[in-house]
Amino acid sequence: MNLDFLSFLKEHYNILIYLLTWLIAVYRYRTYFDTVLKYFPILIMYTFLTELLGYFIKYHEEFQFFSDYRYSWRNVIIYNIYQVVCFLFFYWVYWKTLTKKKHRKWLMYGIILSMFSQLLSVFFQNPFHMHLYYANIIGSLVLILAIALYFKEKREKSNSFSKRYNLLFWVSLGLFVFYIFFPFILLVGYIRYDLYAEYHFRTVLLALILFMYGCFNIGLLIGKRRAFG
């Protein structure tokens, strides 16, 4: 096997996790095709393609956006776009899922704040050259709020099926844990890259990705339609 390909698998094994999750999501699609997660496989494939393009931009000249050698390897813009799409997708999922009027109202205020922070960040940070760290922190906090409201409503709602078989529960658990840490890890990498490298924050980030997608896959594999919600 080509040594470059083996090196690619070693450094970017998370890309294979995305592909595996997409295959499972498509295979189990019949269990959630008529739910708010019906577009979930599209988001997972988008994640896979974004990571793949990010790799090619960074390591292959023919895919790079900038002619200036100082910026030619930078692929941040595709991740900034991806993050906005990801936030909007899950905001929509929880807005559709929440049943209490006040909870949906709170979430809508949070969505407006999150999108405004993304727009405002563009005027202070170059989205082609750096992550929109502060906007991502706000976006993550809004998503955490949405998930917390969902968990609260689920706890108050009686259901003959255990949450163990609820796909949205497992998706929410993975997202909740990941987004508690994700924006702050990026911020440390931006403000104190020496600490980011010294304490192996990239490894921590990959571990969080594995946990999140592990939750996704558990939900996809054992989820039952009647338990969804």
Side-chain angles (χ1 to χ4, degrees):
M1 187 177 289
N2 188 285
L3 291 179
D4 288 339
F5 183 67
L6 288 175
S7 177
F8 167 77
L9 293 181
K10 182 179 179 181
E11 294 294 325
H12 304 276
Y13 55 85
N14 56 304
I15 296 179
L16 295 181
I17 299 298
Y18 304 144
L19 181 59
L20 174 63
T21 304
W22 178 78
L23 291 172
I24 295 173
V26 171
Y27 174 72
R28 294 284 292 168
Y29 191 65
R30 67 186 183 279
T31 63
Y32 63 94
F33 73 95
D34 58 347
T35 71
V36 291
L37 288 179
K38 59 187 174 183
Y39 303 117
F40 194 40
I42 297 176
L43 181 72
I44 296 173
M45 177 51 67
Y46 176 42
T47 304
F48 169 75
L49 294 176
T50 297
E51 287 288 348
L52 199 61
L53 178 59
Y55 168 80
F56 282 114
I57 291 172
K58 189 170 183 177
Y59 296 104
H60 297 272
E61 290 184 4
E62 58 269 30
F63 289 91
Q64 291 169 354
F65 294 150
F66 307 106
S67 57
D68 189 331
Y69 74 92
R70 294 174 298 173
Y71 308 117
S72 60
W73 57 273
R74 295 197 174 178
N75 53 20
V76 176
I77 183 60
I78 65 171
Y79 293 107
N80 283 330
I81 295 172
Y82 168 81
Q83 196 58 67
V84 172
V85 173
C86 190
F87 280 143
L88 286 175
F89 174 78
F90 286 113
Y91 291 160
W92 176 80
V93 166
Y94 291 107
W95 189 82
K96 295 284 287 185
T97 303
L98 294 174
T99 57
K100 291 189 176 182
K101 186 176 180 179
K102 66 177 181 179
H103 290 168
R104 296 181 73 177
K105 186 176 180 180
W106 294 347
L107 178 55
M108 183 54 65
Y109 289 149
I111 293 171
I112 294 171
L113 175 63
S114 176
M115 292 301 103
F116 179 74
S117 68
Q118 293 283 345
L119 180 62
L120 188 62
S121 291
V122 173
F123 293 98
F124 297 96
Q125 296 173 282
N126 189 333
F128 287 94
H129 296 157
M130 66 177 63
H131 291 284
L132 303 180
Y133 302 98
Y134 303 109
N136 286 337
I137 289 175
I138 293 173
S140 298
L141 291 175
V142 172
L143 183 54
I144 290 170
L145 169 65
I147 297 170
L149 293 174
Y150 164 73
F151 283 150
K152 184 177 187 299
E153 289 193 2
K154 284 299 293 180
R155 191 173 64 249
E156 297 171 352
K157 181 180 177 182
S158 60
N159 191 331
S160 58
F161 276 76
S162 169
K163 61 179 177 289
R164 171 176 39 193
Y165 300 109
N166 183 346
L167 170 58
L168 186 54
F169 168 80
W170 285 103
V171 169
S172 300
L173 179 62
L175 290 170
F176 189 81
V177 173
F178 179 79
Y179 278 100
I180 285 177
F181 299 100
F182 163 72
F184 300 102
I185 290 175
L186 287 183
L187 190 60
V188 170
Y190 172 60
I191 297 175
R192 290 291 304 275
Y193 185 79
D194 56 327
L195 293 179
Y196 182 90
E198 180 180 355
Y199 291 101
H200 306 287
F201 274 86
R202 183 177 184 277
T203 302
V204 175
L205 187 61
L206 289 174
L208 288 169
I209 290 173
L210 289 179
F211 175 84
M212 178 170 63
Y213 276 81
C215 288
F216 291 174
N217 286 325
I218 291 172
L220 288 166
L221 289 170
I222 71 174
K224 299 181 183 296
R225 177 62 189 89
R226 284 180 291 173
F228 193 94

